[in-house]
Amino acid sequence: MTIQTIINNAIKRLKAEGKLLTPDFYAEAFCKEAERAKMSVEDCNHVDKFKSMLSKDFQKDLKNYRIKTMSEFVRFLISKLNRTNPTQCSDTLEAQTLLCKRALQAIRVLHNKEASELAQKSIELLENAPTPQQLDNFRQRWVNFLTTYDDTFLQNLKTLGDVDTSDLRKTIENLNTLADTTSSPSMGKSHLQRISRLLVASFVPSIASSVNDTIAEISDKIRKNPAVLDDDSIEKEIKAAISLRIALDKESVKEMVESIDGVLDKLSLRLIDMIESSDNSNAEIQAIKQELESYTEESVTNFKIAHKKLFTIAVALEENTELLSKDLKCHNEDVEALSRRVKRLEKELEEAKKESKEDFLTKLYNKRALDEFLELKEAEFKRYDRNYAIVMFDLDHFKNVNDTYGHEAGDAVLAAFGKILKKEARSVDIVGRFGGEEFLALLSDTNLEGGVTFAKKVLKHVEKSRFMYKKQRIKVTSSAGVSERAKHVSLQATINSADEYLYLAKKNGRNRVEYKK
């Protein structure tokens, strides 16, 4: 095939595709025909020639954007240069991180335990170079906190004063917490009754099983007439009752020590025999257990003798522990080798997870894969003005499902929701798990109206579905936020808009679709 034939075929291609005979369009058509004819033309290989000079990351971007012509190659490089400003990016990122830390430090001192703990963990995360996945996880945890926070408990304070839910300090200052027990005889009487009950309860021996008659009499006297506590004469009786209570406890302790001493005597001898014997340890332990259960002999020993016997047992156990330690050291190298192998396998597993593009639970695309598809769609939008819509989904009250039915039930619900998304999506649409119970649908060649129609179909499907786990039906609904690329300045702005409308849907009652009307 000659060059002239390739030229003629290139012109025919432009006419068939309805394109004007411009230098750029002609060059693109000529190179395609030359490639089809398997003829190498130097002017068609400029992109490959220059691409080999770029870094691997740039080469990968060129492949993803499907750059073929020099015109596309130049526009790609210009767009990269326009976005390159390392100093400004790093300064902005540092300032934003510092702002987040200061905000989290402010939250940490607020009077909410859950918010303070989450703020502290978020600060620790920011100080340890977090990955995007870790940041996204904590973002979801804050979203969960905002959507589940309930301050209705403050209404319990209404009986003590005005409640201002927007100003906790003002609410506390308005509370009428002062109680003057001297202004009312009935209040003073109630106070004495409470004190008398506490005092009588303190007379009961904490160790001894019986109560002395003297203690019982004074307890009954105070219980029947709490006003007697105002009489100075009762002081001596109370002191006597306390002394008796302590004496009873001491006597019980003495009896317990004397009873256990005989047990210690036999236990020390049997343990030493067991350790010095051969392989009958288990049988020996069972025999000692039976003797301990049946032992009732009384003893006249004291704490010093008990200490001596316990020390004898400790020495015998220490000698055998040293033998065990020597044996373990002999196998230390094998243990260390096994530990290194486990660490290597864990590292390989982590790398394999990073390379995967499929969410292990729902079998949809994971966050990493979604990011790649979003970049491709953005490139098509910029080159060919092909619009697309983004729909963010979130399962309503998903935390309640986990708390009520367990995390296995929650995983089953997530997997079932993933199947619904796959069924409702077209073959050209991309659906995946964005994180936690949040999902994203990327709808090709779709405007806002089409995205809303798709979201409503999914919500209706979810509401009518029977989510079953271990013969229990779980009621599940979902919320959605929709945005289209043509109405936003960037891809990230489109994603943020869909996320904001999703939050609005949850705030406005859930099981609904929100979008810019």
Side-chain angles (χ1 to χ4, degrees), residues 355-414:
E355 292 298 324
S356 175
K357 293 185 178 182
E358 182 183 89
D359 179 60
F360 73 96
L361 179 61
T362 62
K363 306 305 178 184
L364 301 178
Y365 288 115
N366 59 17
K367 178 69 163 53
R368 181 172 178 268
L370 287 174
D371 289 339
E372 293 182 4
F373 283 118
L374 286 167
E375 291 295 334
L376 289 175
K377 288 297 178 184
E378 179 67 7
E380 291 180 0
F381 174 78
K382 290 180 178 179
R383 288 176 59 194
Y384 306 116
D385 199 26
R386 293 181 62 180
N387 194 18
Y388 60 88
I390 292 178
V391 185
M392 299 288 287
F393 293 95
D394 190 279
L395 296 178
D396 299 331
H397 301 298
F398 185 72
K399 183 177 182 298
N400 292 343
V401 175
N402 283 333
D403 293 343
T404 304
Y405 303 98
H407 287 279
E408 290 185 0
D411 290 346
V413 170
L414 290 173

Side-chain angles (χ1 to χ4, degrees), residues 320-335:
N320 284 268
T321 302
E322 288 178 357
L323 294 174
L324 178 61
S325 177
K326 290 179 181 179
D327 187 39
L328 288 175
K329 287 179 180 178
C330 294
H331 301 284
N332 188 47
E333 292 182 1
D334 294 337
V335 174

Side-chain angles (χ1 to χ4, degrees), residues 80-323:
K80 287 290 184 181
L81 289 172
N82 287 336
R83 290 198 296 270
T84 302
N85 190 347
T87 301
Q88 181 180 356
C89 291
S90 60
D91 290 347
T92 302
L93 181 60
E94 184 177 355
Q96 290 175 345
T97 302
L98 185 60
L99 175 61
C100 287
K101 286 184 179 180
R102 295 296 176 264
L104 290 169
Q105 287 172 352
I107 295 173
R108 190 174 57 184
V109 301
L110 297 181
H111 306 289
N112 184 285
K113 181 180 179 182
E114 184 179 354
S116 298
E117 291 178 352
L118 187 54
Q120 178 61 35
K121 291 179 180 178
S122 300
I123 292 173
E124 294 172 359
L125 178 73
L126 293 175
E127 291 175 347
N128 290 285
T131 64
Q133 290 80 4
Q134 289 175 319
L135 291 172
D136 184 67
N137 176 264
F138 268 75
R139 179 193 67 81
Q140 185 60 43
R141 291 175 68 175
W142 278 109
V143 171
N144 292 343
F145 172 77
L146 288 174
T147 54
T148 59
Y149 180 68
D150 183 8
D151 62 354
T152 55
F153 65 89
L154 291 174
Q155 302 305 318
N156 295 332
L157 300 175
K158 277 189 173 181
T159 57
L160 301 176
D162 295 332
V163 174
D164 187 346
T165 57
S166 63
D167 189 344
L168 187 59
R169 178 189 292 274
K170 185 176 179 181
T171 297
I172 297 299
E173 291 174 350
N174 289 339
L175 296 182
N176 180 22
T177 58
L178 298 178
D180 186 1
T181 58
T182 60
S183 61
S184 172
S186 60
M187 290 290 286
K189 183 178 180 181
S190 175
H191 179 70
L192 284 176
Q193 287 176 341
R194 291 196 299 271
I195 296 298
S196 67
R197 286 195 295 268
L198 291 173
L199 187 59
V200 169
S202 69
F203 287 160
V204 179
S206 57
I207 299 176
S209 58
S210 60
V211 178
N212 184 273
D213 291 339
T214 303
I215 295 178
E217 289 176 3
I218 185 64
S219 298
D220 188 59
K221 181 178 180 181
I222 295 174
R223 188 184 299 108
K224 291 180 178 179
N225 183 20
V228 75
L229 294 175
D230 285 335
D231 192 349
D232 295 338
S233 62
I234 197 67
E235 182 178 353
K236 291 183 179 180
E237 295 184 54
I238 292 175
K239 288 181 178 180
I242 294 174
S243 298
L244 283 173
R245 174 197 179 280
I246 296 173
L248 285 172
D249 284 343
K250 286 183 177 180
E251 185 65 25
S252 293
V253 169
K254 181 180 178 181
E255 292 175 1
M256 291 177 185
V257 171
E258 291 175 350
S259 175
I260 202 173
D261 185 74
V263 177
L264 290 173
D265 189 10
K266 287 196 173 185
L267 179 60
S268 62
L269 295 175
R270 293 303 300 276
L271 277 176
I272 294 172
D273 291 340
M274 179 191 70
I275 293 170
E276 293 177 349
S277 63
S278 57
D279 297 326
N280 298 322
S281 298
N282 189 55
E284 294 287 344
I285 291 172
Q286 293 297 327
I288 292 174
K289 180 182 177 182
Q290 292 176 2
E291 286 192 16
L292 289 174
E293 290 175 346
S294 62
Y295 185 76
T296 57
E297 181 181 352
E298 295 184 359
S299 176
V300 292
T301 55
N302 56 28
F303 277 112
K304 290 184 178 180
I305 297 176
H307 177 271
K308 181 179 179 180
K309 296 183 185 302
L310 288 172
F311 182 75
T312 303
I313 296 173
V315 171
L317 291 174
E318 182 179 9
E319 291 174 353
N320 284 268
T321 302
E322 288 178 357
L323 294 174

Side-chain angles (χ1 to χ4, degrees), residues 1 52 60 97 102 151 341 363 392 441 445 503 510:
M1 183 178 289
S52 62
K60 185 177 180 181
T97 302
R102 295 296 176 264
D151 62 354
R341 184 180 178 187
K363 306 305 178 184
M392 299 288 287
D445 299 313
Y503 175 75
R510 295 181 172 84

